[in-house]
DNA sequence: CGCGAGTTTGAGGCTGTTCAAAGAGGGTGG
DNA sequence: CCACCCTCTTTGAACAGCCTCAAACTCGCG
């Protein structure tokens, strides 16, 4: 059984360059739970203490939005790693992997990999985390595009710009670089017309103040309310 | 000038753990081109020989779909890395970074970082690549959700499942695990109703064959044609 | 055989797109 | 300094794709 695991694991890119001794030590530390259909390997929000490898079967990773809408972030196939939250700079799991078929997984504590990384390799680890953050942003965007209507997506995008490129100014926070309606449309998957209409509506409510390639956010609180779905009630 | 760069670069997580000697050597190798508004740092599809850091200004990373539709993948803020295609397992750049404001970037050849990684750190590098691939998948999904109508998205999703979980069978390729219409809907950001309607339509054209939690793809070629936008003409 | 989960199909409505055209801001050149 | 032009923006009207709501159907398991 251990031999089967070893050849299987050896075939994965992640462990390709690991020597036999280390690999065996790693395999010895692994848990190998079986997962029946419908069962979850872990739950979204759980503290992320371990990372996982799917040996056999099929998992779908679900996320639930605060409103209760579900979406499938990805499908895990045999040989895929999943639940590597630590690498993404998180201490909880962002989704729930559910068995779509009878599955066999393998798991290790987070440290199982980290302890092998000397201080000299921190650059590699940091690079990985940078990419990990980018991945989370991408997933956030997918979640929004799947489940939210245009106004909320645009509100979220503007709020994000405020955080990342906001410069305080009398009367609000200015987006600190030239930004067209078209740009916002391309960030949110809509048209410049819709964005323009939204900005006009918001401006008449005193939430933002527009301008040519300019945007001033006057009322971040109310914008955040829109982003959280205040529009759909009332 | 070099001192300014050093303290700026030192503040970034990526280089936080690097010693002064190595950091100085790295800075010495860097190019520091200036980019005026509207200019591109590089072009989507260019061979990826270098990676970049934004020191000052603002960039928007654009992608163009084969149909010519544009979308903004992300906005690059000062201190952000970009163009690290190598880390994502690619040899070309997936997007075009355009200056939205007068910008100052810094760049290194890909090897500038890699040479510091001993063979012992391959695990870290591999982990990074795994995440990098996941990031690319996420971007593909964002691109599809932004620019394509439902039928094409669903067609793409099914094709991907065929690649990743297809088992040849007489008369076509079977998706090798229980998959509900709801699942497909949650993968593509639509409703189970729409997916059901699409599958019905496709089945009447002999492209797929449905079943309870089952899907058999009979004509991959025609499905690929739908995914590539054959539906919108005629 | 009955129940529940999954699927199919229809009708109607709404959000957001498409198409069209006019209106402003600001940089440039005369 | 003014006028022009280009790009960006605004707004209207009509259409359409997709969702919502609703209800019936069927497969397969216990």
């Amino acid at each position: 059984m251990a031999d089967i695991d070893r050849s299987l694991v050896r075939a994965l890119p992640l462990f390709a360059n690991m020597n036999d001794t280390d690999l065996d030590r790693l395999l010895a530390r692994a848990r190998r739970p079986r997962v029946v259909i419908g069962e979850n390997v872990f739950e979204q929000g759980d503290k992320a203490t371990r990372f996982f490898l799917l040996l056999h079967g099929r998992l779908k990773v679900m996320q639930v939005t605060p409103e209760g809408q579900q979406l499938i972030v990805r499908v895990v196939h045999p040989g895929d790693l999943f639940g590597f939250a630590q690498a993404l700079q998180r201490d909880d799991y962002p989704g729930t992997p559910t068995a779509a078929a009878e599955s066999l997984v393998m798991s290790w504590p987070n440290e199982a990999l980290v302890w092998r990384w000397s201080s000299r390799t921190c650059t590699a680890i940091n690079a990985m985390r940078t990419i990990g953050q980018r991945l989370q942003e991408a997933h956030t965007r997918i979640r929004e595009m799947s489940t939210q209507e245009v106004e909320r997506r645009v509100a979220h995008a503007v709020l994000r710009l405020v955080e990342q490129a906001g410069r305080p100014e009398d009367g609000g926070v200015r987006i600190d670089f030239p930004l067209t309606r078209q740009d916002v449309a391309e960030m949110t998957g809509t048209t410049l017309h819709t964005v323009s209409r939204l900005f006009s509506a918001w401006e008449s409510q005193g939430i933002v103040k527009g301008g040519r390639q300019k945007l001033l956010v006057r009322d971040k609180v109310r914008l955040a309310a829109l982003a959280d779905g205040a529009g759909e009630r009332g």
Side-chain angles (χ1 to χ4, degrees), chain A residues 20-71:
Chain A
D20 283 354
T21 319
D22 287 339
L23 192 62
D24 282 343
R25 209 177 300 167
L26 198 64
L27 289 175
R29 299 183 65 182
R31 287 190 199 154
R32 300 169 74 262
R34 201 175 305 272
V35 192
V36 299
I37 290 183
E39 192 184 345
N40 301 333
V41 181
F42 50 79
E43 304 276 342
Q44 177 176 355
D46 279 359
K47 190 132 187 287
T49 55
R50 322 192 111 241
F51 68 95
F52 300 80
L53 171 66
L54 181 64
L55 291 175
H56 182 80
R58 206 74 60 168
L59 307 173
K60 37 190 184 184
V61 181
M62 327 273 295
Q63 274 187 8
V64 186
T65 67
E67 288 85 13
Q69 277 188 92
Q70 279 196 343
L71 81 130

Side-chain angles (χ1 to χ4, degrees), chain A residues 50-124:
Chain A
R50 322 192 111 241
F51 68 95
F52 300 80
L53 171 66
L54 181 64
L55 291 175
H56 182 80
R58 206 74 60 168
L59 307 173
K60 37 190 184 184
V61 181
M62 327 273 295
Q63 274 187 8
V64 186
T65 67
E67 288 85 13
Q69 277 188 92
Q70 279 196 343
L71 81 130
I72 296 186
V73 178
R74 71 179 184 116
V75 178
V76 181
H77 307 281
D80 283 354
L81 286 174
F82 64 101
F84 42 84
Q86 196 84 334
L88 273 53
Q89 293 274 64
R90 313 184 45 116
D91 57 331
D92 64 339
Y93 296 113
T96 304
T98 304
E102 183 86 16
S103 296
L104 190 58
V105 306
M106 208 164 185
S107 83
W108 296 270
N110 286 327
E111 316 83 66
L113 235 45
V114 175
W115 65 266
R116 297 197 67 257
W117 294 344
S118 68
S119 65
R120 298 195 56 196
T121 67
C122 277
T123 309

Side-chain angles (χ1 to χ4, degrees), chain A residues 3-19:
Chain A
D3 282 347
I4 295 174
D5 284 354
R6 192 164 107 178
S7 63
L8 216 160
V9 169
R10 169 64 77 207
L12 300 175
L14 179 63
F15 304 103
N17 308 90
M18 198 178 271
N19 67 50

